[in-house]
């Protein structure tokens, strides 16, 4: 369930937020400084050449400021306690998972409430799971914090990878039926209910293709090869690589070729050369596929650091399990056991496989 706070930053109540600051142990001097920073603010409305009188602002934080996200996190810091789950705070969405080891992750103003439901003894058409109950608790919390959920923007996604799927009724909150979607953009990545990357690939390719026009404009104005290459690497290529560590192993060969085709078109514009390999050589570049694999390898190297947030999900190294250390297995990780290609090509499993391959070269 993807929830959305209406005007999340604008509806922050100063008194409640400052009280929360005191609760979590922020020093009184800093709380006083924050109160001073937020107080005494005014706003006006401009329409054409007309400007309204100044009005005092009694809530909300300045968007675009560095302290804004911190203030919002403090404001919703008690949300995990409402759901009676352990708390982990980051920056933009909240995820709740209902199983034997429930977990709560808070991000900012977009909230994701998820649960694993047992459908073995479920009758088709009947209500199942705790989604409505949990969302009701979230709404009670937001009302207490003088915030609001925008139910019209709330979406629901049902992930059922079985062939014979169970008919589960739509979720209804205060006479509002939550729309069930097959894909949703979460933290910049498009998630599909079949756990494939069709929508995400389509979106990034389309977005990057539009930016190729800007490359042609630069060329028409006589931009140098070096400048056009820098523009490609700064504006177009990042679009094709955002979150690649997550989806690289899960895309098909056709999807990989579709992404690669954007780079081929870009380099053809820059270097006036049809041969892709020659373009790569001229620009001292590598294929996007090779870059994505390197990003996955770098992810595992970063996770090896004990301070990394994903360090604890890394499996043991091979020599720690076999009790026999060699030049190769002293660095290799014992990869997860998988029964499906989906799990095999998952972010961590795939990255470990690519990382281990570097010791066989």
């Amino acid at each position: 369930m993807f929830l959305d706070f209406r005007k999340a930053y604008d509806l922050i109540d100063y008194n409640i937020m400052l009280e929360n600051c005191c609760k979590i142990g922020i020093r009184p001097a800093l709380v006083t400084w924050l109160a001073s920073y937020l107080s005494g603010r005014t706003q006006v409305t401009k329409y054409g050449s007309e400007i309204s009188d100044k009005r005092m602002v009694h809530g909300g934080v300045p968007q675009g400021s560095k302290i804004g996200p911190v203030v919002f996190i403090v404001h919703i810091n008690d949300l995990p306690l409402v759901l009676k789950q352990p708390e982990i705070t980051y920056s933009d969405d909240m995820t709740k998972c209902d199983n034997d080891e429930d977990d709560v992750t808070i991000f900012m103003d977009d909230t994701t409430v998820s649960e694993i439901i047992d459908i073995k003894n479920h009758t088709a058409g009947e209500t199942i799971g705790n989604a409505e109950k949990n969302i009701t608790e979230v709404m009670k919390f937001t009302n207490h914090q003088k915030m609001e959920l925008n139910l019209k923007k709330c979406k629901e996604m049902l992930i059922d990878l079985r062939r014979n799927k169970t008919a589960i009724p739509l979720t209804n909150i205060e006479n509002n039926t939550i729309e069930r979607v097959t894909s949703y953009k979460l933290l910049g990545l498009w998630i599909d209910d079949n756990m494939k990357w069709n929508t995400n690939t389509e979106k990034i390719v389309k977005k990057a293709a539009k930016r190729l026009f800007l490359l042609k404009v630069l060329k028409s104005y006589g931009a140098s090869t070096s400048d056009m290459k820098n523009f490609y690497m700064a504006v177009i290529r990042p679009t094709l690589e955002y979150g690649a560590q997550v989806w690289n192993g899960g895309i098909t060969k056709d999807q990989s070729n579709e992404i690669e085709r954007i780079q081929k078109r870009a380099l053809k514009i820059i270097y006036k050369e049809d041969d892709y390999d020659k373009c790569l050589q001229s620009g001292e570049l590598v294929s996007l596929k090779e870059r994505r694999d390197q990003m996955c390898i770098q992810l595992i190297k970063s996770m090896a650091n004990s301070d990394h947030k994903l360090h604890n999900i890394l499996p043991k190294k091979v020599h720690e399990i076999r009790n026999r250390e060699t030049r190769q297995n002293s660095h290799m990780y014992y990869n997860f056991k998988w029964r499906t290609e989906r799990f095999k090509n998952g972010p961590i499993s795939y990255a470990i496989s690519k990382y281990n391959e570097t010791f066989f070269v």
Side-chain angles (χ1 to χ4, degrees):
M1 186 73 67
F2 304 104
L3 307 181
D4 181 79
F5 289 111
R6 188 179 76 84
K7 296 183 178 180
Y9 283 85
D10 296 334
L11 295 181
I12 293 179
D13 183 273
Y14 291 159
N15 293 329
I16 296 177
M17 185 275 299
L18 293 173
E19 183 180 343
N20 290 338
C21 288
C22 296
K23 284 183 180 179
I24 63 176
I26 295 180
R27 289 182 297 169
L30 288 178
V31 176
T32 302
W33 173 86
L34 182 59
S36 175
Y37 171 75
L38 295 174
S39 63
R41 293 183 175 273
T42 60
Q43 67 180 18
V44 298
T45 300
K46 182 178 180 180
Y47 182 77
S49 59
E50 300 295 326
I51 300 178
S52 68
D53 296 331
K54 291 183 179 181
R55 298 290 298 272
M56 292 296 298
V57 178
H58 301 288
V61 294
Q63 294 201 38
S65 63
K66 291 186 177 180
I67 201 169
V70 177
V71 169
F72 186 84
I73 289 174
V74 171
H75 195 58
I76 62 172
N77 191 59
D78 287 341
L79 183 55
L81 301 179
V82 173
L83 296 175
K84 299 180 181 179
Q85 303 299 330
E87 174 193 15
I88 308 172
T89 303
Y90 297 108
S91 69
D92 207 17
D93 286 73
M94 188 280 290
T95 303
K96 178 180 185 304
C97 180
D98 281 327
N99 53 14
D100 292 337
E101 296 182 0
D102 292 345
D103 205 10
V104 175
T105 305
I106 295 180
F107 296 94
M108 272 307 178
D109 52 346
D110 295 324
T111 301
T112 307
V113 180
S114 62
E115 65 173 319
I116 299 174
I117 55 179
D118 182 9
I119 57 176
K120 292 181 180 179
N121 301 316
H122 175 250
T123 303
E126 291 185 359
T127 302
I128 184 173
N130 300 315
E132 294 185 6
K133 175 184 175 182
N134 289 331
I135 296 172
T136 299
E137 292 299 318
V138 172
M139 293 187 69
K140 289 180 181 179
F141 172 81
T142 56
N143 290 336
H144 180 267
Q145 299 292 98
K146 297 184 179 180
M147 301 170 65
E148 296 180 23
L149 280 179
N150 190 343
L151 294 177
K152 292 183 179 180
K153 289 188 176 181
C154 294
K155 308 296 180 184
E156 178 182 55
M157 178 183 290
L158 181 63
I159 299 177
D160 188 351
L161 303 177
R162 301 170 306 152
R163 291 182 179 179
N164 300 318
K165 296 178 173 53
T166 301
I168 297 178
L170 297 172
T171 302
N172 191 284
I173 307 294
E174 294 187 350
N175 297 322
N176 290 279
T177 300
I178 305 300
E179 178 187 359
R180 183 169 292 169
V181 296
T182 57
S183 62
Y184 189 84
K185 189 177 183 180
L186 183 63
L187 296 179
L189 294 180
W190 283 90
I191 311 297
D192 289 349
D193 63 352
N194 58 8
M195 301 303 289
K196 296 182 179 180
W197 297 100
N198 299 340
T199 303
N200 190 70
T201 302
E202 178 185 346
K203 295 288 186 181
I204 64 174
V205 168
K206 185 177 180 180
K207 184 176 181 180
K210 288 182 178 180
R211 296 184 177 185
L212 288 177
F213 172 75
L214 300 176
L215 197 59
K216 293 179 180 179
V217 172
L218 287 175
K219 184 175 182 180
S220 68
Y221 278 93
S224 67
T225 298
S226 176
D227 287 342
M228 288 191 289
K229 174 188 171 184
N230 289 337
F231 177 83
Y232 165 72
M233 293 192 298
V235 178
I236 300 176
R237 191 171 68 181
T239 303
L240 299 169
E241 295 181 333
Y242 178 76
Q245 298 93 328
V246 177
W247 50 261
N248 184 33
I251 61 174
T252 65
K253 185 176 180 179
D254 288 342
Q255 290 171 336
S256 179
N257 291 337
E258 191 176 355
I259 295 171
E260 198 74 41
R261 197 172 295 119
I262 298 295
Q263 177 162 278
K264 290 181 180 179
R265 291 171 59 188
L267 297 188
K268 185 177 180 180
I269 295 171
I270 297 172
Y271 297 106
K272 303 178 183 180
E273 175 64 60
D274 291 330
D275 190 297
Y276 184 45
D277 290 332
K278 289 183 179 180
C279 288
L280 291 175
Q281 185 176 3
S282 298
E284 298 181 344
L285 301 171
V286 297
S287 69
L288 294 179
K289 168 61 177 172
E290 185 176 343
R291 280 181 55 84
R292 293 196 301 271
D293 286 345
Q294 287 299 321
M295 291 167 69
C296 291
I297 293 171
Q298 186 57 46
L299 172 64
I300 299 302
K301 291 181 178 179
S302 300
M303 291 172 61
N305 189 325
S306 59
D307 294 330
H308 197 281
K309 292 180 179 179
L310 298 180
H311 175 74
N312 291 334
I313 68 175
L314 267 181
K316 293 182 178 180
K317 291 187 176 181
V318 174
H319 74 87
E320 294 176 325
I321 295 178
R322 296 180 179 176
N323 295 321
R324 181 171 175 267
E325 185 171 348
T326 66
R327 289 184 179 180
Q328 288 182 339
N329 69 23
S330 62
H331 299 287
M332 294 170 56
Y333 287 95
Y334 193 85
N335 210 341
F336 302 102
K337 297 292 185 180
W338 54 72
R339 292 184 299 174
T340 63
E341 286 295 312
R342 183 180 294 107
F343 186 22
K344 176 183 177 181
N345 295 322
I348 304 302
S349 297
Y350 182 84
I352 290 175
S353 296
K354 288 299 175 182
Y355 174 81
N356 288 344
E357 286 176 8
T358 61
F359 298 101
F360 289 98
V361 177

